[in-house]
Amino acid sequence: MHPNKFPSKQPGQSHTKQKNIVEKLAAAIAMHQKGQLDQAVALYKEILRTEPRHFDALQLLATASAQQANFTDAVGLFDQALAVNARHTVTLYNRGNVLRSLGRQEDALESYDKAIKGNPNYVDALYNRGNVLCDLSRPSEALGSYDRVLKINPLFPAAFNNRGNALRDLQDFEGALASYDMALKLKPDNADALSNRGQMLRKLGHHMQAMESYDRALSIKPDHVEALHNRGNALCDMKRYQEALRSYDLALKVRSNHAEALNGRGAALQALMRHQEALESFDLALQINSGHVEALGNRGNALRDLKRHQEALKSYQQALEIRPDFAEANLNEGLCRLSTGDWAAGWEKYEWRWEQPSTLYKPRGLAQPLWLGKEPLRGKTVLLHSEQGLGDTIQFCRYAKQVSDLGATVLLEVQSPLKNLLKELEGVAALFSRGEPLPHFDYHCPLLSLPLAFRTTESTISGSPYVRSGREKQTTWKSRLNQSGKKNVGLVWSGNVQHQNDQNRSISLDKFSALTDGPAAYYCLQKELRPQDQGLLAQTSNIHFFGETLEDFSDTAALIDLMDLVITVDTSVAHLAGAMGKPAWILLPFNSDWRWLLNRNDSPWYHSVKLFRQPTVGDWDTVLAQVELELSHCL
């Protein structure tokens, strides 16, 4: 607020009366400046009883009322002052500030605009105009207001900081970063700018630099709640969930009702497989802000991970009532429906994967139209292309024959490790590795959209084998196996460490190796080992490891063909064994991937597999004990 320190003379007053008012006003201003607001307010009101239209008393009383957080009274008093002097720019500016405090952003904007009309170079009014435009989600206009501020005063660090916020909201992350850097050049100890700078560095993928920026902010202001919260987000990005949890907790110690920090905390707990605690954190966030769509979506995920799927669906639907185009909630609703067997709705919702920002789903941007089952294909050429992991490609390449049966020429593009494996896949006219030049085609379809295109239900799936290994490779690998006459058991205990669900689906070798005590020959079917497993495997004489001699999946398939049984966690080898019709036992986490459905030990996708499920979150011991018991009956 800018109180007018110099009283103006009111017309039509006697000299004595005016002198009395001037003296009272001077005393009130002195008290006001010393922070003695109650005494100042009393004197302003005394003046107004004598002279109800005294401009200075009105606008100064309004200012004092605002300082006492009596915002509604302050607006009324500013309006009375403006009835006396409608173009007083400071009063218009102060009125805008109070209206903004009341959440009346549009009215505040109008008041700032009137102040600026009276004084086009009114920097504070231009600055706060930019702030209220940011509040109204009008970042482009806010940017214009900040630029006007900086043209008048290029040494205004807060304007550079908030200009960065506007650019951030316009998705210009590089521009925002440059603006924050200018704010810090002018004021190196600006904790807000350091926190915001860290947020942009995180958006740009520079996580370590973001951490440095957050830490600098916290060295200046240890209780900077946004730096603590955003630091937690950066740590989650780096999968340092335990540290992230500590950062969120520190933010919540400063501000217990910080809904964003509670939401982030829940996400960290979920990644640590502490799903019930995550659910409680999301519920606390929603008590503070019932319309927090991200927390509603994350709450649905936590419920899904607790296998409370119907409750999860309600949470997703609540999020979508608020924001129908919320891609993550639409996709997760689809995954939830697929898990429960509601495939008709699930396949439709699964198409939302292309609309959300995860790096797992990357649209190809092909010029040819997408085929989802509506257009006739006779005489047409269709490109079917891989989109996610190797296991996904193996599972859904089965649809090539169905597309071919519609009269289409089928081109199949797959990851290079799968090319030799799939070269004889039925229905495929030409096979390509991803990145190879492609011939002309009329339509394209990502492999995991094919179930939607064919309106797949459980009854329409053939669980019969559709992938074969080559005889020549079988012969080569047979010569490398133990010739003792024992049964051959193939093992996979861990998958790709980069997989988003890896910590939930992989098992350490020290647990898994208990399965290898029986009278069989055991072979590791995974090509790569984690550092913690390498030393243990070197000391384990009864597991044969081939490593780099498994050049691609055609080698893995040949080796699988020579196994009597495959025991695997949920990886690409599980899909390959199933696609080949090989007996396979698949070990699944408590809430498994959607394709394995719920509460069953078989799969419609592969008739040869048997599923072993965790009874509670993280309980591999029970699963391995069941497998060990069943294995003892087979060998």
Side-chain angles (χ1 to χ4, degrees):
M1 298 297 168
H2 292 322
N4 188 356
K5 297 179 183 179
F6 302 101
S8 57
K9 181 178 178 180
Q10 304 297 309
Q13 295 178 340
S14 70
H15 179 74
T16 302
K17 182 179 180 183
Q18 181 184 344
K19 182 180 178 184
N20 187 37
I21 289 174
V22 168
E23 288 173 352
K24 285 183 179 179
L25 191 60
I29 290 172
M31 292 173 182
H32 195 159
Q33 290 173 340
K34 291 177 183 177
Q36 298 170 351
L37 293 180
D38 290 342
Q39 296 94 318
V41 165
L43 278 175
Y44 292 141
K45 287 181 176 178
E46 191 175 324
I47 293 166
L48 289 168
R49 281 194 291 273
T50 303
E51 182 56 60
R53 287 175 56 81
H54 194 290
F55 175 78
D56 294 305
L58 283 167
Q59 65 103 0
L60 288 168
L61 177 58
T63 301
S65 296
Q67 289 171 311
Q68 292 177 316
N70 297 324
F71 299 123
T72 302
D73 291 346
V75 171
L77 288 161
F78 280 130
D79 286 343
Q80 289 180 55
L82 289 166
V84 177
N85 184 354
R87 290 187 287 184
H88 193 269
T89 56
V90 173
T91 302
L92 287 162
Y93 166 76
N94 285 337
R95 179 178 180 271
N97 293 344
V98 172
L99 288 164
R100 187 177 179 221
S101 296
L102 286 168
R104 293 168 57 183
Q105 313 294 9
E106 292 285 1
D107 293 333
L109 181 62
E110 181 183 2
S111 206
Y112 292 137
D113 283 340
K114 287 179 179 177
I116 294 162
K117 186 177 180 181
N119 179 4
N121 293 329
Y122 196 158
V123 168
D124 287 344
L126 284 163
Y127 172 69
N128 277 1
R129 179 180 184 272
N131 295 342
V132 82
L133 285 163
C134 280
D135 295 341
L136 291 165
S137 299
R138 292 159 63 179
S140 184
E141 294 170 79
L143 182 63
S145 207
Y146 295 132
D147 285 342
R148 285 177 66 185
V149 169
L150 292 166
K151 188 174 181 181
I152 300 163
N153 179 9
L155 303 178
F156 194 155
F160 274 113
N161 179 62
N162 289 3
R163 180 179 183 272
N165 295 342
L167 288 163
R168 175 199 64 200
D169 293 344
L170 290 166
Q171 305 296 302
D172 181 0
F173 302 141
E174 293 281 4
L177 182 61
S179 202
Y180 295 136
D181 283 339
M182 281 300 300
L184 289 164
K185 185 176 179 180
L186 294 169
K187 192 171 186 257
D189 64 346
N190 187 332
D192 289 342
L194 282 164
S195 177
N196 290 333
R197 179 178 181 272
Q199 193 180 8
M200 287 308 94
L201 287 164
R202 175 179 169 247
K203 290 274 190 185
L204 293 165
H206 307 312
H207 296 107
M208 291 307 299
Q209 291 173 263
M211 287 292 294
E212 291 170 9
S213 204
Y214 295 136
D215 288 342
R216 280 178 60 196
L218 292 166
S219 70
I220 296 162
K221 189 178 180 185
D223 63 349
H224 194 294
V225 69
E226 293 305 329
L228 288 164
H229 160 237
N230 287 324
R231 184 175 182 274
N233 293 342
L235 287 163
C236 277
D237 292 340
M238 294 185 283
K239 299 187 177 181
R240 292 161 57 180
Y241 301 114
Q242 204 68 54
E243 295 172 78
L245 191 58
R246 286 195 290 272
S247 202
Y248 292 130
D249 283 342
L250 286 169
L252 291 164
K253 190 175 179 181
V254 177
R255 192 190 303 167
S256 60
N257 65 344
H258 195 299
E260 293 292 344
L262 284 163
N263 181 53
R265 180 177 182 273
L269 287 164
Q270 201 167 346
L272 291 166
M273 296 193 293
R274 293 161 61 179
H275 304 309
Q276 183 60 44
E277 293 173 80
L279 179 61
E280 291 164 5
S281 199
F282 296 135
D283 283 342
L284 285 171
L286 290 164
Q287 285 177 24
I288 296 160
N289 178 5
S290 61
H292 195 306
V293 290
E294 288 81 8
L296 283 165
N298 285 337
R299 181 178 184 272
N301 296 343
L303 287 162
R304 186 186 68 199
D305 287 342
L306 290 165
K307 294 179 79 169
R308 293 160 59 179
H309 288 80
Q310 293 308 312
E311 293 173 79
L313 287 171
K314 288 180 183 176
S315 200
Y316 296 136
Q317 287 158 11
Q318 285 178 301
L320 293 170
E321 285 172 9
I322 299 167
R323 192 195 300 171
D325 62 348
F326 185 16
E328 289 93 331
N330 276 294
L331 173 60
N332 286 321
E333 181 193 341
L335 295 173
C336 195
R337 291 190 182 281
L338 290 172
S339 291
T340 60
D342 181 6
W343 285 0
W347 298 129
E348 292 280 356
K349 286 279 186 175
Y350 193 53
E351 290 301 296
W352 277 92
R353 66 193 185 277
W354 306 116
E355 304 300 324
Q356 54 92 55
S358 169
T359 55
L360 181 62
Y361 311 108
K362 295 180 179 178
R364 288 290 296 274
L366 297 167
Q368 292 83 349
L370 173 67
W371 182 76
L372 288 178
K374 295 180 180 178
E375 298 82 1
L377 293 184
R378 185 159 300 281
K380 302 294 184 181
T381 299
V382 180
L383 172 68
L384 307 181
H385 49 95
S386 61
E387 54 167 283
Q388 295 177 44
L390 298 166
D392 300 288
T393 300
I394 293 167
Q395 181 177 4
F396 293 101
C397 69
R398 68 178 71 212
Y399 283 92
K401 182 179 184 304
Q402 288 176 251
V403 177
S404 176
D405 287 346
L406 294 176
T409 299
V410 175
L411 312 178
L412 178 61
E413 182 193 65
V414 300
Q415 301 94 327
S416 57
L418 296 177
K419 187 174 182 183
N420 287 333
L421 171 71
L422 300 177
K423 61 186 178 184
E424 294 181 9
L425 185 68
E426 189 173 1
V428 176
L431 184 67
F432 302 88
S433 289
R434 190 182 292 170
E436 289 183 335
L438 297 167
H440 166 80
F441 55 93
D442 301 295
Y443 294 102
H444 78 95
C445 186
L447 286 177
L448 275 78
S449 292
L450 287 165
L452 172 62
F454 283 98
R455 305 300 185 263
T456 299
T457 64
E458 187 173 336
S459 63
T460 65
I461 298 171
S462 168
S464 302
Y466 54 92
V467 173
R468 295 185 295 274
S469 69
R471 289 181 179 272
E472 186 177 332
K473 289 220 168 183
Q474 282 185 41
T475 302
T476 300
W477 279 101
K478 188 172 184 179
S479 67
R480 298 177 182 175
L481 300 190
N482 190 306
Q483 304 301 319
S484 63
K486 296 179 180 179
K487 287 189 175 181
N488 295 326
V489 178
L491 305 173
V492 177
W493 56 88
S494 63
N496 180 359
V497 71
Q498 299 301 321
H499 191 281
Q500 62 177 0
N501 198 36
D502 178 69
Q503 63 178 359
N504 197 30
R505 66 174 187 162
S506 291
I507 306 175
S508 62
L509 177 57
D510 63 335
K511 282 183 177 289
F512 202 88
S513 59
L515 301 179
T516 64
D517 292 337
Y522 299 95
Y523 297 93
C524 176
L525 302 180
Q526 58 189 74
K527 184 175 180 178
E528 296 176 353
L529 294 176
R530 301 177 186 211
Q532 61 267 34
D533 291 341
Q534 290 174 1
L536 183 57
L537 185 62
Q539 300 168 22
T540 307
S541 59
N542 55 345
I543 302 178
H544 303 277
F545 176 62
F546 298 105
E548 294 302 320
T549 56
L550 288 166
E551 294 181 3
D552 62 23
F553 271 75
S554 65
D555 291 298
T556 308
L559 195 51
I560 287 172
D561 241 339
L562 297 167
M563 297 296 109
D564 296 288
L565 173 68
V566 172
I567 303 175
T568 177
V569 294
D570 182 9
T571 70
S572 54
V573 172
H575 291 284
L576 180 53
M580 293 174 65
K582 180 61 61 174
W585 296 354
I586 303 175
L587 283 50
L588 298 175
F590 177 71
N591 183 47
S592 59
D593 190 82
W594 59 266
R595 69 202 75 210
W596 305 117
L597 299 168
L598 299 173
N599 306 320
R600 56 192 290 174
N601 63 6
D602 66 335
S603 169
W605 298 100
Y606 309 113
H607 290 165
S608 65
V609 307
K610 183 172 183 177
L611 308 178
F612 294 78
R613 298 176 182 270
Q614 286 182 349
T616 57
V617 175
D619 183 6
W620 285 123
D621 290 339
T622 299
V623 172
L624 292 169
Q626 291 172 346
V627 172
E628 189 174 2
L629 178 63
E630 194 146 342
L631 190 59
S632 68
H633 296 152
C634 298
L635 300 179

